[in-house]
Each structure stands twice: as structure tokens, then as C-alpha cells.
């Protein structure tokens, strides 16, 4: 008997399985899930949706992720492309019943966990930071490069080439993420930086 939690145990919302063909995957398909998860976690839905766009560089169909995992055992899983260490931290902090492997099979769960991770990063980020980044940009950098690096970037340490590339893509995808939410989800609030400014 399979004792893995069902989709309902993770999140009552439904989210489609990513298509097998890589060209058919669009993070906008998860706008409703993103809006609900962001609201529950208390993070910006635009931030969460933009992270999904940034993480869409590889196929996310469960079968392809299993193959990817076979080829690269330390690879990340799910539509939010989360590494095991980040997942385990969130799982312990929130008492989640799901397993890391469930991220590849349950997109709603993957989005929910990503929202909770962003919430934790937001709590770890100092309230004041260098002006060259918005708070959401720093949180996206933290999602990509880890909490310690995020805090360093907030103090003014320049990001390395991979983090700079992630930030550049984040800025490029932000408008697309906003449009996806306007069309398919109902974000609770605008970006935290826009509200504050």
C-alpha cells in the first residue's frame, strides 16, 4: 500500500501536470495556485510567479524530472525547481507531511512550498538593505543563491555571475508574471515594494 500523502493532503487546490513536451510548459498555467499560495504565505504573488518563470528553464514533467534525477542525483524538483536542503528546511519548519520527491508529482505542493520558502527568506532579510535592489529582488536572489548570500547582497556584496544572470532574468520576467496573474489569478496585493513606495 502506498503511504505517500495524496494531493489533498498537500494543498486543496489543483494544478495541472506540466506537459511532457518542454515547449508546452507555461508558468502562467499556475496563476491561481500561485495567487492562493502567496496569499496564504504572506508573500508577493508577483515575486512567486516571477520565480516560477525563472525556474522554467528545464522541463518539469514528472517523468522527465525522474530522468533528470537519475542523471544528476542532486538536482532540484518541481515547477519551482527546489533543492532538497531548502525543501527539508521548509518541511521541518511547517510540519509538512510531504516528501521532497512529491514536488515533482504535485505542482500545487511545489508552489506552496516555494511560497513558504520565500516567506522564510523574507523573515531572514534585514529590513534595510542597499538601494540597488528591491526587497523582492533580494528574495529572488535568496531563492536562487541561498539565505547567506541574500543577506550578503543586502549589505552590498556584489553577486557573482550566476546570481547576476538570475536577477537579470527576474527583471525581464516580472512583467510577464504580473500579466499572468492579472489574467489567471487574483493577487491579494501588489508587489510589497510598490505598496511601500
Amino acid at each position: 500500500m502506498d503511504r505517500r500523502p495524496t494531493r489533498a493532503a498537500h494543498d486543496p487546490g489543483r494544478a495541472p501536470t506540466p506537459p511532457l513536451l518542454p515547449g508546452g510548459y507555461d508558468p502562467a498555467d499556475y496563476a491561481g495556485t500561485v495567487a492562493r499560495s502567496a496569499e496564504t504565505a504572506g508573500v508577493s504573488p508577483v515575486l512567486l510567479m516571477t520565480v516560477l518563470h525563472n525556474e522554467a528553464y528545464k522541463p518539469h514533467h514528472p517523468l522527465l524530472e525522474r530522468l533528470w534525477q537519475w542523471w544528476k542525483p542532486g538536482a532540484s524538483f518541481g515547477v519551482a525547481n527546489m533543492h532538497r536542503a531548502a525543501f527539508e528546511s521548509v518541511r521541518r519548519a511547517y510540519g509538512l507531511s510531504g516528501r521532497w520527491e512529491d514536488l515533482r508529482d504535485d505542482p500545487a505542493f511545489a508552489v506552496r512550498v516555494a511560497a513558504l520558502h520565500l516567506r522564510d527568506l523574507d523573515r531572514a532579510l534585514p529590513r534595510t538593505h542597499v538601494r540597488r535592489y528591491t526587497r523582492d529582488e533580494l528574495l529572488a536572489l535568496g531563492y536562487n543563491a541561498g539565505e547567506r548570500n541574500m543577506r550578503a547582497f543586502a549589505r552590498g556584496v556584489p553577486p557573482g555571475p550566476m546570481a547576476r544572470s538570475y536577477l537579470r532574468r527576474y527583471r525581464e520576467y516580472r512583467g510577464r508574471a504580473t500579466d499572468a496573474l492579472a489574467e489567471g489569478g487574483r493577487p491579494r496585493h501588489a508587489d510589497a515594494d510598490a505598496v511601500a513606495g
Side-chain angles (χ1 to χ4, degrees):
M1 178 176 202
D2 188 0
R3 294 193 176 274
R4 287 184 301 156
T6 63
R7 178 186 307 267
H10 298 308
D11 189 303
R14 295 247 177 222
T17 298
L20 188 58
L21 297 175
Y25 173 67
D26 185 354
D29 294 342
Y30 301 92
T33 303
V34 165
R36 284 188 305 275
S37 297
E39 182 172 7
T40 300
V43 298
S44 164
V46 175
L47 166 65
L48 181 56
M49 179 60 85
T50 308
V51 166
L52 288 189
H53 276 84
N54 259 20
E55 300 297 345
Y57 64 89
K58 73 176 193 186
H60 289 301
H61 187 276
L63 173 62
L64 297 174
E65 287 202 330
R66 281 179 175 82
L67 292 172
W68 185 269
Q69 184 73 35
W70 176 78
W71 177 67
K72 188 176 178 184
S76 52
F77 271 154
V79 294
N81 216 27
M82 184 172 279
H83 284 281
R84 184 176 218 134
F87 171 78
E88 291 300 335
S89 175
V90 173
R91 185 187 62 76
R92 284 189 305 274
Y94 295 94
L96 301 178
S97 61
R99 301 172 311 147
W100 176 57
E101 293 84 359
D102 295 333
L103 296 177
R104 74 177 170 224
D105 299 318
D106 188 344
F109 182 56
V111 171
R112 178 178 168 222
V113 173
L116 293 172
H117 183 47
L118 288 166
R119 175 185 184 169
D120 290 345
L121 289 169
D122 188 47
R123 289 176 175 170
L125 185 62
R127 289 289 148 210
T128 58
H129 53 80
V130 294
R131 290 179 162 274
R132 83 183 80 147
Y133 309 114
T134 68
R135 188 165 190 85
D136 279 359
E137 288 172 347
L138 286 166
L139 293 172
L141 284 168
Y143 192 90
N144 175 253
E147 179 185 325
R148 181 186 298 175
N149 287 325
M150 173 190 74
R151 292 171 66 84
F153 303 150
R155 289 191 311 270
V157 174
M162 289 182 71
R164 281 195 313 269
S165 174
Y166 195 88
L167 180 60
R168 187 188 78 253
R169 289 192 325 272
Y170 176 87
R171 289 171 174 166
E172 288 172 7
Y173 289 136
R174 193 165 166 73
R176 189 181 303 177
T178 301
D179 292 345
L181 286 163
E183 293 171 13
R186 283 183 257 174
R188 180 174 61 93
H189 54 76
D191 175 58
D193 294 320
V195 171

